[in-house]
Amino acid sequence: MLKPLRNQVVLKKYEEENKTNSGIILSVENKKLPSVAVVVAKGSKVESEINVNDKVVYKEYSGTKVTLDEIEYIVIEEEDILAVIE
């Protein structure tokens, strides 16, 4: 597991269901995916109200992508998180 330092936050990209209620699988090609992720871990100096398991919106081209155990994470600074989705 990644343990972020200082004011860094580890995010896991939020994957929306690509299937309708009737079972039809939708294509994600040419569809702009939003910058929404789930907080996996936060550093000891994170001062905002961000908590682990919060769904958040972050700046689109910020952070560093890291793949660990075939799962892609984004390590991002706290200030690049724009909002918590409630």
Side-chain angles (χ1 to χ4, degrees):
M1 185 50 159
L2 294 171
K3 181 180 177 184
L5 303 175
R6 296 177 296 284
N7 67 336
Q8 303 294 313
V9 179
V10 178
L11 305 175
K12 181 179 175 192
K13 188 82 169 171
Y14 180 74
E15 301 292 332
E16 288 193 34
E17 186 71 26
N18 292 327
K19 191 185 330 180
T20 64
N21 290 339
S22 60
I24 298 171
I25 297 174
L26 303 173
S27 173
V28 291
E29 287 183 38
N30 299 327
K31 180 180 173 186
K32 182 164 173 40
L33 299 175
S35 299
V36 176
V38 176
V39 177
V40 176
K42 64 180 190 173
S44 61
K45 303 255 183 188
V46 173
E47 297 177 359
S48 63
E49 299 174 11
I50 299 168
N51 296 309
V52 173
N53 294 323
D54 280 352
K55 193 180 342 177
V56 297
V57 177
Y58 62 93
K59 290 183 181 177
E60 189 169 356
Y61 296 105
S62 59
T64 302
K65 292 182 180 179
V66 177
T67 303
L68 184 66
D69 296 330
E70 298 181 19
I71 300 173
E72 187 173 290
Y73 298 98
I74 303 165
V75 180
I76 193 170
E77 290 187 27
E78 171 187 20
E79 63 193 31
D80 289 334
I81 295 176
L82 305 174
V84 176
I85 300 173
E86 295 182 339

